[in-house]
Amino acid sequence: MFKHLTTAVLCFALSVTTTISSAADPIVIKFSHVVAENTPKGQMANKFKELVETRLGDRVKVEIYPNSQLFGDNKVLEAMLLGDVQMAAPSLSKFSRYTKKLALYDLPFLFEDMEAVDRFQQSPAGEKLLKSVERKGLVGLGYLHNGMKQLSASNKLRSPNDARGQKFRIMSSDVLEEQFKAVSAMPLKKPFSEVFTLLQTRAIDGQENTWSNIYSKKFFEVQPYITESNHGLLDYMVVTSKEFWSELPADTRGELEQALSEAISHGNEVAAQKSVSDRQKITDSRRSEIVALTAAERAQWVEAMKPVWKKFEKKIGKDLIDAAYASNQ
Ligand code: LMR
């Protein structure tokens, strides 16, 4: 009798412990990114954490790992498929192992401004591109902006000829590789975390990036010139793994989608502000000269780089390129 009672008490105690521990164990979302916190992506991620923890604090915990602390840009998607990280927002240029379609966004001089990017991304063709990574086990949750890229260098780049023979760091994109080859420069695919040192030690001559990345990673301190070329787009896709996402309770997933959509709107506002304010901070620092191109000079870059479109027409699809270009009107 006593023995039975002890067993019953033990079983009860065990079941209470199990219930308590599962109720006390929130779902953990590790969000890994490569940029500083004072950037559009850094601010978006922090906003997402804040919203999720206010609304779902007992159910979901968000851990943010900025500055390539957890994974660099070449590893994060592999890590996601292994379940070591649950969210990230790599640049659209870093998905080439998962889809050829997103290479569209790297075509030089495709979008005239961020309004055109918005028009395209909100169109059915733009939305469909978010699904292009699904076959590889990833879920595209939304686009996030950074802005237009500029060319920073150790010498003044006015015409495409000035780039001849110069070494430029690029993200891991074949389109970007061809873009620099088109002006007889030497592109090198390198992770974002290595760019500052490569520039500082003059192992490379230049790189392309947005005002907020050039400012927050201090590239302007080691690059005497920045040509305001607005020649390409730096945009992100917020991604998760299909496995992680599909196993979430439906109501939690819905709440996370809502929080993410609000965080992305916030990140896009930060992007718009920083493309002006970080540019101004660089001007004020007097560490780097901002080189404005005349219309005729810019036309030379367009003429030199635009043939790259043709090279990728088959892989990306002419219809898609036409649809994206048409969003400029
Ligand atoms: C880069 O590698 O230059 C950018 O993709 C970094 C980033 O995520 O903004």
Side-chain angles (χ1 to χ4, degrees), residues 41-323:
K41 183 159 53 185
Q43 295 292 301
M44 182 282 284
N46 290 356
K47 181 59 128 190
F48 177 67
K49 176 182 169 69
E50 179 194 312
L51 293 173
V52 170
E53 295 192 350
T54 309
R55 296 171 191 174
L56 302 171
D58 52 339
R59 283 190 276 156
V60 184
K61 187 166 177 290
V62 181
E63 295 173 0
I64 313 278
Y65 298 91
N67 294 310
S68 311
Q69 257 168 36
L70 191 60
F71 292 107
D73 42 19
N74 295 339
K75 286 274 173 282
V76 73
L77 295 175
E78 281 169 41
M80 184 170 282
L81 293 173
L82 293 172
D84 293 336
V85 61
Q86 287 68 41
M87 279 175 93
S91 140
L92 297 172
S93 318
K94 294 178 183 169
F95 284 90
S96 57
R97 290 173 56 196
Y98 301 86
T99 172
K100 299 279 172 257
K101 295 281 168 195
L102 290 175
L104 168 80
Y105 289 102
D106 284 337
L107 295 176
F109 299 102
L110 178 64
F111 296 106
E112 277 163 20
D113 49 35
M114 296 311 290
E115 286 72 34
V117 176
D118 272 332
R119 277 193 292 274
F120 175 68
Q121 290 182 340
Q122 288 159 17
S123 73
E127 284 188 356
K128 197 169 155 209
L129 279 179
L130 284 177
K131 301 200 183 303
S132 61
V133 290
E134 265 181 16
R135 278 187 314 130
K136 300 281 180 170
L138 297 171
V139 180
L141 296 170
Y143 291 110
L144 169 73
H145 296 332
N146 187 320
M148 291 300 198
K149 288 181 290 187
Q150 320 301 336
L151 287 168
S152 78
S154 21
N155 63 334
K156 215 182 245 193
L157 304 176
R158 281 207 161 279
S159 83
N161 255 340
D162 300 328
R164 182 175 285 272
Q166 305 282 302
K167 292 190 192 120
F168 286 90
R169 176 268 173 173
I170 54 164
M171 294 182 272
S172 54
S173 149
D174 293 346
V175 175
L176 298 180
E177 190 167 42
E178 288 301 323
Q179 170 193 279
F180 279 102
K181 283 188 180 164
V183 294
S184 307
M186 292 159 65
L188 296 160
K189 292 181 181 172
K190 293 284 178 189
F192 187 58
S193 55
E194 291 177 24
V195 182
F196 181 84
T197 309
L198 290 168
L199 293 172
Q200 190 185 36
T201 57
R202 295 287 173 107
I204 55 172
D205 305 293
Q207 62 89 45
E208 51 165 20
N209 234 306
T210 57
W211 291 115
S212 70
N213 278 346
I214 295 173
Y215 179 71
S216 60
K217 285 294 176 192
K218 301 193 184 335
F219 299 160
F220 71 101
E221 293 186 0
V222 288
Q223 290 274 266
Y225 300 101
I226 306 171
T227 296
E228 189 161 31
S229 51
N230 291 311
H231 64 281
L233 172 72
L234 176 59
D235 217 76
Y236 308 114
M237 184 154 90
V238 185
V239 275
T240 185
S241 81
K242 224 189 225 173
E243 194 178 334
F244 171 72
W245 203 241
S246 64
E247 282 172 7
L248 289 173
D251 58 337
T252 307
R253 197 166 46 232
E255 295 265 20
L256 291 175
E257 276 165 359
Q258 178 58 32
L260 185 65
S261 142
E262 290 171 42
I264 286 179
S265 301
H266 175 69
N268 286 346
E269 278 167 30
V270 173
Q273 287 158 13
K274 284 196 173 290
S275 65
V276 179
S277 62
D278 285 352
R279 179 190 182 284
Q280 188 58 44
K281 285 179 193 154
I282 293 170
T283 309
D284 295 346
S285 77
R286 297 172 187 272
R287 299 289 292 265
S288 189
E289 181 185 332
I290 297 179
V291 182
L293 297 176
T294 63
E297 283 166 344
R298 193 164 188 274
Q300 287 179 40
W301 289 90
V302 177
E303 196 190 341
M305 289 179 165
K306 222 167 154 184
V308 171
W309 293 22
K310 198 90 199 144
K311 292 195 171 169
F312 290 88
E313 205 173 85
K314 270 216 181 81
K315 275 192 181 145
I316 298 170
K318 188 170 183 319
D319 289 359
L320 204 56
I321 299 177
D322 289 346

Side-chain angles (χ1 to χ4, degrees), residues 21-42:
S21 80
S22 59
D25 274 353
I27 296 161
V28 175
I29 299 182
K30 290 188 181 167
F31 191 134
S32 170
H33 69 81
V34 299
V35 290
E37 288 192 89
N38 61 337
T39 55
K41 183 159 53 185

